[in-house]
Amino acid sequence: GAVVSQHPSRVICKSGTSVKIECRSLDFQATTMFWYRQFPKQSLMLMATSNEGSKATYEQGVEKDKFLINHASLTLSTLTVTSAHPEDSSFYICSARPGESYNSPLHFGNGTRLTVT
Amino acid sequence: GQNIDQPTEMTATEGAIVQINCTYQTSGFNGLFWYQQHAGEAPTFLSYNVLDGLEEKGRFSSFLSRSKGYSYLLLKELQMKDSASYLCAVNQAGTALIFGKGTTLSVSS
């Protein structure tokens, strides 16, 4: 159980275009989902917390107008990288926690490898 | 502020035991998690500690000392497939996890 699905797994786009990444909780409802970014040989950095039915909470240094987050339902959150640039190339991973207990682990999607040319 | 430290790299041989340490300084603490991550893949959950002491789960064990801000992950009977990054993560404020930079473990035969 507790499956998080992320799509696409890999995307290559041209500089200046926008890319949408979907994150779905397949067998549980998630009022909150988390978006992380990971550069090569670095750890996961929290970008934002996606809240169903309300605005996302962004971490310091993350541009909310560049990384648009929409959490329209209890099973779907989307991250749109707008006007992508080569420095946005990274591994983006979403995660969610089944249930309300903070003691339960986060479950991660398989990640999206974004390459901006 | 927050700071989570782990060694960058470790090496070990098949069948051996390895201990990966993690020290943390965070403004809040609601538990510590260990994840395994193979290159290019998503992290997978290994263990969780919220109280002091040792949690054992098969070949993997994790220890926590909250007073010392210290945890370790112990891997026994190492196998080649255990070569991966091991991430220490703190549940700081009850929601998202804050990750350390990870320890890359290389297991050789």
Side-chain angles (χ1 to χ4, degrees), chain A residues 36 38 43 97 102-103 106 109, chain B residues 35 37 42 48 91 94-95 97 100:
Chain A
Y36 288 85
Q38 186 176 35
S43 189
R97 175 185 285 116
Y102 297 141
N103 294 341
L106 286 181
Chain B
Y35 282 82
Q37 185 180 27
Y48 169 72
N91 187 330
T95 53
L97 297 183

Side-chain angles (χ1 to χ4, degrees), chain B residues 45-66:
Chain B
F45 168 73
L46 290 178
S47 69
Y48 169 72
N49 296 72
V50 67
L51 300 177
D52 289 355
L54 187 68
E55 293 285 338
E56 297 186 82
K57 190 183 290 185
R59 294 191 299 117
F60 297 86
S61 303
S62 58
F63 171 84
L64 175 67
S65 170
R66 289 174 300 172

Side-chain angles (χ1 to χ4, degrees), chain A residues 5 18 22 24 27 36 38 44 47 55 57 60 63 68 71 73 76 79 83-84 86 88 101 109 112 115:
Chain A
S5 174
S18 295
E22 292 187 348
R24 295 180 184 273
D27 52 359
Y36 288 85
Q38 186 176 35
L44 284 80
M47 297 177 65
K55 291 183 179 180
T57 304
Q60 191 172 10
E63 301 174 57
L68 301 179
H71 196 148
S73 76
L76 173 64
L79 169 68
S83 187
D88 298 324
S101 172
T112 298
T115 302

Side-chain angles (χ1 to χ4, degrees), chain B:
Chain B
Q2 57 203 29
N3 192 41
I4 301 174
D5 286 322
Q6 307 176 232
T8 304
E9 295 180 338
M10 298 184 72
T11 59
T13 54
E14 271 189 304
I17 299 173
V18 70
Q19 178 175 312
I20 302 174
N21 296 323
C22 171
T23 57
Y24 63 90
Q25 290 178 307
T26 56
S27 56
F29 183 82
N30 280 308
L32 187 143
F33 294 80
W34 284 96
Y35 282 82
Q36 180 191 62
Q37 185 180 27
H38 286 98
E41 299 180 7
T44 55
F45 168 73
L46 290 178
S47 69
Y48 169 72
N49 296 72
V50 67
L51 300 177
D52 289 355
L54 187 68
E55 293 285 338
E56 297 186 82
K57 190 183 290 185
R59 294 191 299 117
F60 297 86
S61 303
S62 58
F63 171 84
L64 175 67
S65 170
R66 289 174 300 172
S67 62
K68 295 182 179 178
Y70 167 70
S71 173
Y72 68 71
L73 179 69
L74 193 71
L75 293 79
K76 304 175 185 176
E77 302 170 15
L78 280 175
Q79 303 173 11
M80 297 291 285
K81 66 178 183 179
D82 296 330
S83 293
S85 286
Y86 291 85
L87 308 175
C88 171
V90 172
N91 187 330
Q92 181 180 354
T95 53
L97 297 183
I98 307 301
F99 285 83
K101 292 185 177 180
T103 299
T104 300
L105 173 66
S106 299
V107 181
S108 58
S109 56

